[in-house]
Amino acid sequence: MKILVCISNVPDTTTKIKFNESNTSVDTTGIQWVINPWDELSLTRALELKDDPSSGIKSVTVAHVGTASSEPTIRKALAIGADDAIRINSESSDAYYTSAQLAEVIKKEHFDIILCGIESSDYNGSLVGGMISEFLGIPSVSAVSGIKIENGQAVLVREIDGGKEVTSVPAPFVAIVQKGIAKEPRIAAMRGIMMARTKPLKVIEPVEVDSLTEITVFEKPAPRSACKFIDPENPGQLIDLLQNEAKII
Amino acid sequence: MSVLVYTENWDGKFKKLSFELVSYASEVAKMINTSVTALSIGKIEDSELIKLGRYGAGKIISVENELLKILDSQAYSSVISEIAKKENSSVIIISNNNTGKAVAPRLSVKLRAGVGSGVSRLPLNTNPFTVYKKTYSGNAFAHVVIKSEIKILTLAQNSFELIETVDNSTIEKMTVNVDSSLARTKVQNVLKQTDKILLTDADIVVSGGRGMKSPDNWAPLTELANVLGGATACSRPVSDEGWRPHEEHTGQTGKIIAPNLYIAVGISGATQHLAGISGSKYIVAINNDKEAPIFEAAQYGIVGDAMKILPKLINAVKELKK
């Protein structure tokens, strides 16, 4: 079986986000780019499965929609342990566009399990995994916090309101994964970094697709009012303020 | 034309979330001069369905089918898409919860409809159709133009007030054909939490961080949550250490919540934590470090030892509830 992990390239989560003068795009100067945290956990879990010979997982490929500038992120995925990578050479314009590109690649190269992070930490869309599955007409399971292979069949744990369900769907399928899928993201070792330089990274030109959405303006969040400090010797005052000033209890 | 809102039910009951969705749909419908159709999937009594009318659903469609007993994103999205076509819906509204995240993207591709995901306000404009959404995990907001003819909006939980209106609703039972080759999700086992207030539903959340020092110190925090009628949560290091279950982890990679009141105890307030709670209406911080960034996000703060402060807060709440 072959696994594909779709990865997105996002600003490090501690980055202070700034915009250009017209507030129409993010100012990328000085930004440290990383693999989207949920995609990194997906990749980690895919590699853990491959490490277990009984899983029958033969290879782990990563795919990314982006320009050459995102290659360091792809190399990082290879250094962590992915066998090969595919880059669709295009700026991603929205989730629909990105998913259509990834679906085209998956149509040509067969994968049994496609893993996507539940959202990207930049656009917070939660869309790409589900869209890919619909473009391909294959099952998708969302909010997956656990995956294992039992007798050649994937068993997925998904989060539901107030609990979890242990589920299965026939392959090929898309699993849209969240926290819990792997404990800690795997870190690249020196040997992995050396090997990553020579691992195959295929560049594919995009197909023509119209995006459905467009970001026109960015805004900073409204500043919160200054914190009102309460005497630690008299914390009861807080309850009074919550009741009579904020009126929420 | 219509606005279609998918109102999920839980064992035949709606939640506040369902009414929030209908209230929101009804305000969107006013903006584009049309009416609201609510769609319910699964077994549910008329007495429950009719509640949607109070918040502005003109027509309430109820669909039942054996194959829809289990959430299968492919089967559900095909049913919602079929109803949207029948109702000639130009806007479809779904919650941005686990179900919405499973269904909305598939629906988008089926209907070639752009998605505004996790919206927390009414559309800013209807021509071009522009929505306001969180980006960069709450460090920025974006105006997003949806260019397609049909628009899908997924509404962030707890982001819209309930608005009651004149009830003129009708219930319509509809049968749908579900292609069994689409409903392929099998559920082997269900692990349910029992009678605890769900973190994502809670109006009040009391949350602990590493500053709580030990899992043995959690009793007063849990008691404060109980007396306030709230839920408990924790920061990432706490769940990573195994002090509290992973379900309680709030933050960028954990649960994103938006309660009315979030009380952060012994939480320093790293960007990743704030990303999960920035939608809260009020944030209270209790921390012994007055430089902790959590105080920048909080409206009320107490600098001091949580183990001394929590019992006093519990007493004050108990006094109040008397």
Side-chain angles (χ1 to χ4, degrees), chain A residues 7 33 39 54 68 73 77 81 84 131 143 157 173 181 190 192-193 208 211 229 239-240 248:
Chain A
I7 60 170
W33 296 91
D39 304 343
S54 74
T73 302
D84 59 341
M131 284 181 170
V157 178
F173 64 84
I181 191 82
M190 188 45 85
I193 297 168
E208 202 164 311
S211 65
F229 284 96
I239 303 302
D240 183 51
I248 42 170

Side-chain angles (χ1 to χ4, degrees), chain A residues 232-233 235, chain B residues 220 286 302 304-315:
Chain A
E233 296 306 319
Chain B
I286 302 172
I302 307 181
D305 179 357
M307 298 319 285
K308 288 191 186 128
I309 293 165
L310 287 173
K312 290 183 187 164
L313 287 179
I314 294 164
N315 284 337

Side-chain angles (χ1 to χ4, degrees), chain A residues 11-15 17 19 26 37-38 41 96 118-135 137-143 150 153-155 157-170 176 178-179 183-185 210-222 224-236 238-239 241-243 245-249, chain B residues 10 15 17 70-74 77 96-98 101-102 104-106 108-110 112-115 117 130 132-148 184-193 198 200 204 228 236 239-240 246-247 249 252-256 260-261 263 271-272 277-284 295-304 309 312-313 316-317 320:
Chain A
D12 180 274
T13 51
T14 55
T15 307
I17 299 297
F19 315 121
V26 168
W38 293 271
L41 287 173
Y96 187 84
I118 195 156
E119 64 172 301
S120 65
S121 62
D122 51 3
Y123 294 114
N124 307 131
S126 296
L127 295 169
V128 169
M131 284 181 170
I132 292 174
S133 61
E134 187 60 36
F135 276 120
I138 61 174
S140 58
V141 180
S142 188
E150 280 175 0
Q153 161 83 50
V155 178
V157 178
R158 72 172 169 191
E159 302 286 317
I160 53 167
D161 268 353
K164 297 174 200 293
E165 282 177 349
V166 182
T167 65
S168 62
V169 283
I176 299 146
Q178 63 168 56
K179 185 188 159 65
K183 214 166 159 45
E184 287 279 324
D210 290 329
S211 65
L212 301 181
T213 63
E214 186 186 347
I215 293 182
T216 49
V217 183
F218 282 102
E219 270 179 28
K220 280 271 161 206
R224 287 199 179 249
S225 52
C227 183
K228 196 179 264 187
F229 284 96
I230 290 134
D231 178 8
E233 296 306 319
N234 183 20
L238 170 69
I239 303 302
L241 287 167
L242 292 176
Q243 189 192 20
E245 189 177 81
K247 298 187 169 51
I248 42 170
I249 61 169
Chain B
W10 291 263
K15 285 191 203 173
L17 156 71
I70 287 170
L71 172 67
D72 179 284
S73 52
Q74 218 169 355
S77 56
N96 191 39
N97 65 356
N98 283 341
K101 286 176 187 173
R106 299 202 73 129
S108 161
V109 172
K110 273 189 204 298
R112 216 182 166 278
V115 186
S117 50
T130 313
Y132 180 84
K133 87 173 285 288
K134 183 181 83 172
T135 53
Y136 295 93
S137 307
N139 290 312
F141 287 83
H143 297 195
V144 181
V145 172
I146 305 178
K147 300 182 279 189
S148 52
R184 286 178 283 187
T185 306
K186 300 261 179 294
V187 172
Q188 302 167 355
N189 200 1
V190 185
L191 316 153
K192 278 239 174 184
Q193 248 183 42
L198 289 186
T200 42
I204 297 179
L228 285 168
R236 177 171 173 168
S239 72
D240 281 357
H246 279 288
E247 292 77 50
H249 166 202
Q252 186 168 44
T253 52
K255 289 206 165 65
I256 312 275
N260 289 334
L261 173 60
I263 304 181
T271 334
Q272 291 90 336
I277 61 152
S278 60
S280 309
K281 290 197 180 70
Y282 283 89
I283 296 174
V284 170
F295 288 116
E296 281 166 39
Q299 284 93 334
Y300 300 112
I302 307 181
V303 179
I309 293 165
K312 290 183 187 164
L313 287 179
V317 178
L320 180 76

